Amino acid sequence: MTTVSDIEIVRLSGFNNIDALLSSGPGWNFLGTGARSLSYTFSVVSGNEASRTGQAAFSPAQQTATRTALAYITSLTGIGFTETGDGSRAQIHMASINIADADTMGLCSWMSSYTPPRFGTTVRDFTAEAYIYLDNVEFRAENADLRPGGPGYEILLHELGHMLGLKHPFEGDEQLPYDDDHTGNTLMSYDWVGGPYQTYSPYDIAALNWLYGRDGLGGTYGVGTSKDYFTGRDIAERLTGTYNSEVIEGAGGDDDIDGGAGNDVAYYVGPRANYDVTRIAAGYVVSDRVGDEGYDVLKNIETLRFSNGNVSLDYEAVVQALYVGYFGRAADYNGMLSFQNQLATLGAPRDMSALAAAYTKDAGLHALIDSFAASAESAALYPGDTATFVKGIFQNVFGRAPASAGLSFWTDAIDHKGLSKANASLSIMSGALDNKTVQGVLDAKLINNKLAVASGFTLSIDTAAEIAGYGTKAAAASVRTMLGAVTATTDLTAYQSTIKATLGAMTGAVRVAGDMPEDLPIAYADLIGIGFQAWEQTLV
């Protein structure tokens, strides 16, 4: 539903590198929920801008280069583009023209219209058009060659940026600092540094992410939705989300990212195999092993999005704790995914203490947790009596046998007071994490270290060979050995090599651990997005 305020008010992100590039139009996001692509034409026979004359058609070579540029924009924004030979039906018009200003290589103009609503604020007939012109007199030579790598192509990207809703960074109330205003940061600048560029610069991409959320028109993220897309800069900074669901992209630098409330996504431009994902007490660390994105410390992030797929962190800690406590090993890839999906379907709590409490009240959760005890792996691990089972759980969790009083308590609870074995393993671990005695603090540190190692192992599984490799009894035994060597004082940074070696032994592939911060948590200057405000939809 498009409102007058959507059209008339530029919605800002709170990030200067984004907001300094946001213009007031054309407003493609507000064409309607059914709009997924934009039509464009090279025709100058019809549909021309009435206030301009002398339009000349792009040459075949110019048209080919423009199609290349639009395909690149599609890959970046998700917006589809459909070519039409009927200029009267096109929303975007391309033409050569003699631009009056002798210093201007290209320009873009746009217009939009709607009928002011008689009642309320809802607009039902919003339309928009954009016109892109390249000079064919003073800059005939440069604009004749629009192939990527030349100045003509960079100018084309600049004008297409205007068509997409970007402005010059030195105009308007929100501007870039003088030292940031150059083409190395944004192709919308007039200060050329480096180049010619074949892609948009980082600030352009951040602004386009904010506008279109990488999923195009009518998608889930971007302006016109209630889900934002925040993009940082190529420096170390703190990126903080809001109470809504959003995507946060660090875009380089060692970032501290907190998604806040909602179901939040951290985005990375490379494939999953390029990154190490490691659990720490504060959340997770994502380290770029092959590129220059550095490492990010993540908190309150439910999903990692890579170029070739997603990794869910939702319930990851809970499922990992169940595997470590009951089976003494890290979760396997398919087991993790299955239990995450089932817990999400049940709407289960996300922390161990709350999960233990909910177990007694939720029949579906009760059955899911008890399925651990009904598995063939459980039967193989705990073939003896109840006391043997309790000793096994203590060995998995604490690396030691239980005290006699503890052994008697848990054995009696299972044998005579209706406590299931699965709930016993859950309760033993949950209770240990809440124990504030001297021994309890050490036990909690040990558990957290084991869970971090187990999490790092499971999250490192990113190929079909590794998924299959961790599907044998021998592989499971090797992971139990790996976790059994973890202590309360284990250096988790140094232990990454052990995790990679254990996984590599299952496939014969060499795995190299990426860098990981040594002094967590880290703190940087705040960079806070204002996010979606509920009152914005009421402005007129």
Side-chain angles (χ1 to χ4, degrees):
M1 180 180 71
T2 296
T3 66
V4 173
S5 61
D6 288 332
I7 300 168
E8 300 294 340
I9 299 174
V10 177
R11 184 161 177 266
L12 302 179
S13 68
F15 290 54
N16 175 254
N17 63 308
I18 294 173
D19 296 341
L21 298 181
L22 300 180
S23 76
S24 58
W28 304 118
N29 284 313
F30 306 116
L31 292 174
T33 56
R36 298 295 295 177
S37 65
L38 300 174
S39 59
Y40 70 95
T41 189
F42 298 113
S43 173
V44 295
V45 175
S46 60
N48 295 327
E49 190 175 13
S51 62
R52 298 184 191 275
T53 59
Q55 290 91 340
F58 275 14
S59 70
Q62 288 175 310
Q63 293 182 29
T64 297
T66 302
R67 295 185 190 103
T68 297
L70 292 176
Y72 163 64
I73 291 172
T74 296
S75 71
L76 193 62
T77 66
I79 299 174
F81 294 96
T82 303
E83 185 173 342
T84 176
D86 186 349
S88 64
R89 294 180 177 273
Q91 296 160 301
I92 303 167
H93 306 260
M94 317 276 190
S96 294
I97 199 169
N98 179 14
I99 300 174
D101 186 345
D103 294 327
T104 301
M105 293 181 68
L107 64 84
C108 174
S109 61
W110 58 266
M111 61 185 68
S112 62
S113 64
Y114 66 93
T115 302
R118 295 180 61 188
F119 304 101
T121 62
T122 301
V123 174
R124 304 187 185 280
D125 61 347
F126 178 79
T127 61
E129 287 188 272
Y131 300 84
I132 294 174
Y133 303 105
L134 297 182
D135 182 76
N136 60 2
V137 178
E138 286 86 2
F139 296 98
R140 176 192 299 270
E142 292 87 344
N143 288 334
D145 185 359
L146 298 182
R147 289 175 297 177
Y153 189 77
E154 183 173 328
I155 289 299
L156 177 63
L157 289 180
H158 177 102
E159 302 308 333
L160 288 171
H162 285 311
M163 178 273 293
L164 291 167
L166 305 185
K167 72 175 182 67
H168 301 130
F170 51 83
E171 296 174 338
D173 295 333
E174 188 82 24
Q175 300 182 9
L176 284 181
Y178 177 81
D179 289 343
D180 285 350
D181 185 358
H182 57 78
T183 55
N185 285 331
T186 169
L187 298 192
M188 308 312 293
S189 175
Y190 278 4
D191 186 1
W192 288 34
V193 174
Y197 293 96
Q198 301 183 49
T199 62
Y200 284 113
S201 294
Y203 292 5
D204 304 320
I205 295 172
L208 293 174
N209 287 347
W210 171 255
L211 288 172
Y212 304 109
R214 289 189 182 268
D215 59 1
L217 304 179
T220 301
Y221 296 94
V223 170
T225 76
S226 61
K227 296 186 177 182
D228 294 327
Y229 197 122
F230 297 124
T231 308
R233 297 167 293 169
D234 190 16
I235 60 174
E237 57 194 349
R238 183 187 298 275
L239 303 174
T240 302
T242 68
Y243 53 83
N244 289 314
S245 300
E246 56 236 340
V247 174
I248 302 178
E249 181 178 340
D254 299 337
D255 301 317
D256 191 352
I257 298 175
D258 187 342
N263 196 321
D264 303 305
V265 178
Y267 178 84
Y268 294 90
V269 298
R272 169 66 185 88
N274 288 3
Y275 304 85
D276 285 332
V277 183
T278 305
R279 183 153 152 227
I280 60 172
Y284 297 86
V285 173
V286 178
S287 305
D288 187 353
R289 293 194 289 113
V290 300
D292 57 1
E293 290 183 86
Y295 63 76
D296 295 339
V297 180
L298 309 180
K299 182 180 180 182
N300 296 317
I301 295 292
E302 284 71 40
T303 302
L304 303 178
R305 181 172 298 165
F306 301 98
S307 63
N308 60 342
N310 294 345
V311 173
S312 175
L313 300 179
D314 206 16
Y315 293 108
E316 190 275 336
V318 167
V319 177
Q320 201 64 259
L322 289 169
Y323 268 85
V324 171
Y326 204 88
F327 295 141
R329 65 175 176 87
D332 55 276
Y333 179 91
N334 290 323
M336 171 63 74
L337 186 61
S338 174
F339 273 92
Q340 283 177 311
N341 290 337
Q342 292 178 78
L343 286 167
T345 299
L346 292 169
R350 287 172 167 78
D351 66 89
M352 289 301 297
S353 296
L355 189 70
Y359 170 88
T360 61
K361 304 173 184 178
D362 188 317
L365 182 60
H366 192 288
L368 179 61
I369 299 301
D370 282 359
S371 68
F372 276 81
S375 67
E377 184 172 6
S378 173
L381 286 173
Y382 312 115
D385 58 12
T386 303
T388 302
F389 168 79
V390 173
K391 292 177 183 178
I393 295 299
F394 266 76
Q395 188 62 42
N396 290 342
V397 175
F398 306 112
R400 66 171 188 270
S404 58
L407 177 61
S408 297
F409 173 84
W410 292 109
T411 300
D412 180 63
I414 294 170
D415 286 342
H416 304 296
K417 296 182 179 178
L419 180 67
S420 73
K421 289 183 175 180
N423 195 21
S425 67
L426 187 66
S427 299
I428 289 169
M429 180 174 289
S430 179
L433 292 174
D434 288 336
N435 187 340
K436 304 306 180 185
T437 66
V438 174
Q439 184 59 52
V441 171
L442 288 175
D443 287 342
K445 179 63 174 175
L446 171 62
I447 292 171
N448 281 327
N449 281 353
K450 284 195 174 186
L451 293 177
V453 170
S455 178
F457 181 87
T458 303
L459 290 169
S460 293
I461 300 173
D462 52 33
T463 68
E466 289 168 349
I467 293 172
Y470 189 31
T472 66
K473 292 181 179 179
S478 69
V479 175
R480 289 190 187 95
T481 299
M482 177 188 72
L483 286 182
V486 174
T487 69
T489 60
T490 294
D491 183 336
L492 296 181
T493 301
Y495 213 73
Q496 297 306 302
S497 59
T498 301
I499 293 173
K500 302 306 180 186
T502 303
L503 181 59
M506 297 175 185
T507 61
V510 177
R511 296 296 301 264
V512 179
D515 293 333
M516 183 177 164
E518 298 180 356
D519 52 347
L520 296 173
I522 53 178
Y524 299 113
D526 284 343
L527 184 61
I528 310 298
I530 60 173
F532 179 77
Q533 303 294 319
W535 46 259
E536 288 184 350
Q537 295 299 321
T538 67
L539 294 176
V540 294

